[in-house]
Structure formats: structure tokens, C-alpha cells
Amino acid sequence: IFTKNLWTKKCFKKIGVKVKSHPIFNNNLSATQIREKIIHNKNWRNLVPKSILDFLKKIDGKNRIDSLINAN
């Protein structure tokens, strides 16, 4: 989990999930805005740190986001 939210960090650490802080994005975009760009096939790769890009590739982020949206 990547988060700056202390409550989120505490909750996930409590159940044994590895939590990493992410750098503040200099683009003033939220994670929701980044996800919107991903699902609408808009340019987003240059808006996140390389570690986030690598992680999203590893977990097949676009398909994962699509499946979560379509599940609702």
C-alpha cells in the first residue's frame, strides 16, 4: 500500500500489510484523477514516480482498476 494517510497506514500495518509512503506529487493531481486518466487511456505515466509506475505494471493496474469499476 502506498499512502500518506496516517489512519490508512496504521490500519494496514496492524494487519501486516507493508505500507510505503509515496512522495508528494508535484502535479497537484489526486490518485483519483490519475486513475481516471488510466481508465480513459489518457497520458498519466509521466505524472507518477517510477516506483508507482513499476508497481502498477506489476499488478496489471489498468485491468485491476477496470474490474473494480465494473464490479459496482
Side-chain angles (χ1 to χ4, degrees):
I1 297 292
F2 290 92
T3 186
K4 285 276 191 196
N5 183 286
L6 294 176
W7 183 82
T8 301
K9 187 175 189 177
K10 181 179 175 182
C11 290
F12 278 99
K13 277 189 166 186
K14 187 175 182 177
I15 62 170
V17 174
K18 186 175 180 180
V19 178
K20 292 184 177 183
S21 290
H22 62 74
I24 298 292
F25 299 141
N26 294 325
N27 54 28
N28 295 321
L29 292 174
S30 69
T32 300
Q33 291 169 308
I34 299 292
R35 286 189 296 270
E36 288 288 327
K37 288 180 176 292
I38 292 170
I39 62 172
H40 294 295
N41 295 315
K42 294 185 176 180
N43 187 20
W44 62 272
R45 289 173 181 82
N46 63 321
L47 302 174
V48 299
K50 185 179 181 319
S51 60
I52 302 295
L53 179 60
D54 292 344
F55 177 75
L56 290 174
K57 285 180 183 177
K58 180 179 176 182
I59 66 163
D60 192 17
K62 181 173 181 351
N63 284 332
R64 191 168 176 168
I65 293 167
D66 285 340
S67 68
L68 289 170
I69 289 170
N70 292 327
N72 292 328

